[in-house]
Structure formats: structure tokens, C-alpha cells
């Protein structure tokens, strides 16, 4: 009797499974962490560990542009801001943009009655004032396209969660206070 040729419809043996597939299966436990870092970068571009190296290329897209955001001081000195934001009232133009309101989407009342310009001109206090200054700058940076890793919606989300809960959660179980958020935003300003 002759041996029957192997049936290709049968599941392949472990040795026949391509190396990449085995590596991906082995890395499934780390998938939620990699996915979180890919969708919400923490302090810049996520860094892959040696064990995540083989699968990192498939799950983390490289940044297209380096961040080159401007500081609150630079935006406060600027004559013009990206539309729909205005630094100050201009004859025949819209009024200066309020910090809280429909144009910014920033909730709360920490700076009620203040413009974004006025908030960015406040002195640092290593607390809510400093956070407000950097949130304003981050919003303008995002609108101008200067910080590809930090868009307008992400900036609004940071502020609005902080305003509602007193912290921002970049990943489940990690809470950032005002100083932590400012540190992250500063990392987008080169």
C-alpha cells in the first residue's frame, strides 16, 4: 500500500504555521496595550519593546510629520490665528474667541468670561491656569496642523474630562493631573 498524500484541507501542523502568525498569536496578550498606544499616544510616539518589535510594524503607523507646535507665549504674540479662532476683535471681523464656548468646544467655567488670548497671557501657576494656557495653544496648534499626533478633538477631550473629573485618563487606569497634561502638550512643542 502506498502512503496517501497529505490532505491540504486539514489544518496545518504547528511547524507549518507561518512564523508571523505564531508571533501574532503569542502577542495577543499585548494587543490591547499596543492598540491603546497607537490610538492615544502617551508622551509622543509609542516605543516598542524588544518583545513587541516583530508585530509593532503592523500595528503602529509611523508619524507622518514631526510636531512643531507653538507655545502659549508665541500664540499670544501672534497677530492672526487659524480660523475660526481670533486673538482679538478686528474691525468688521468676529470678536475675540472665548476660552469656553461653541468655537473651542471647551467645557466648564474655570475661565468664564475670558478669551483664549487672555488665558494664554496668564502667569503660570503649575495648576489649572497653566493647563488652560497650554490647552489654548494646543487647540491652535492642532487647527494649524502643527501637531499631527494631537488633534483638536483630543485637546477638547483632555480639557473636558479634566474639567468634569479633575483628571484626564490617557489609558484606562492612568490618571493625569494638570501638570501631567501640560508635560504631554509641551512634548508636542518643538
Amino acid at each position: 500500500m502506498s502512503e496517501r498524500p497529505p490532505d491540504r484541507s486539514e489544518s496545518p501542523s504547528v511547524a507549518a504555521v507561518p512564523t508571523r502568525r505564531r508571533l501574532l498569536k503569542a502577542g495577543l496578550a499585548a494587543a490591547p496595550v499596543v492598540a491603546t498606544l497607537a490610538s492615544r499616544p502617551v508622551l509622543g510616539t509609542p516605543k516598542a519593546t524588544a518583545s513587541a518589535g516583530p508585530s509593532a510594524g503592523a500595528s503602529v503607523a509611523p508619524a507622518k510629520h514631526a510636531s512643531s507646535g507653538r507655545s502659549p507665549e508665541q500664540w499670544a504674540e501672534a497677530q492672526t490665528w487659524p480660523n475660526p479662532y481670533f486673538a482679538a476683535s478686528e474691525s468688521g471681523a468676529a470678536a475675540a474667541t472665548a476660552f469656553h464656548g461653541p468655537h473651542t468646544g471647551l467645557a466648564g467655567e474655570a475661565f468664564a468670561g475670558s478669551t483664549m488670548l487672555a488665558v494664554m497671557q496668564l502667569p503660570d501657576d503649575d495648576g489649572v491656569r497653566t493647563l488652560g494656557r497650554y490647552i489654548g495653544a494646543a487647540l491652535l496648534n492642532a487647527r494649524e496642523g502643527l501637531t499631527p499626533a494631537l488633534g483638536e478633538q483630543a485637546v477638547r477631550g483632555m480639557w473636558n474630562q479634566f474639567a468634569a473629573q479633575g483628571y484626564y485618563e490617557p489609558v484606562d487606569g492612568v490618571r493625569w493631573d494638570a501638570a501631567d497634561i501640560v508635560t504631554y502638550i509641551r512634548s508636542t512643542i518643538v
Side-chain angles (χ1 to χ4, degrees), residues 12-36:
S13 68
V14 175
V17 175
T19 304
R20 182 174 178 197
R21 185 176 292 166
R22 281 187 290 157
L23 289 173
L24 289 174
K25 284 182 179 179
L28 285 178
V33 174
V34 172
T36 300

Side-chain angles (χ1 to χ4, degrees), residues 58-146:
S59 61
V60 179
K64 292 181 181 176
H65 305 289
S67 292
S68 58
R70 297 179 188 151
S71 69
E73 294 82 9
Q74 290 170 312
W75 280 113
E77 292 174 7
Q79 297 292 319
T80 58
W81 289 354
N83 201 10
Y85 307 110
F86 295 95
S89 297
E90 300 173 14
S91 59
T97 302
F99 187 86
H100 301 288
H103 286 96
T104 63
L106 301 176
E109 296 184 11
F111 302 107
S114 296
T115 65
M116 280 180 52
L117 177 61
V119 171
M120 285 191 287
Q121 292 173 331
L122 291 171
D124 280 338
D125 68 349
D126 296 325
V128 174
R129 248 190 310 192
T130 301
L131 177 58
R133 295 179 69 239
Y134 279 89
I135 288 289
L139 200 57
L140 294 170
N141 286 331
R143 183 62 172 195
E144 193 72 7
L146 300 175

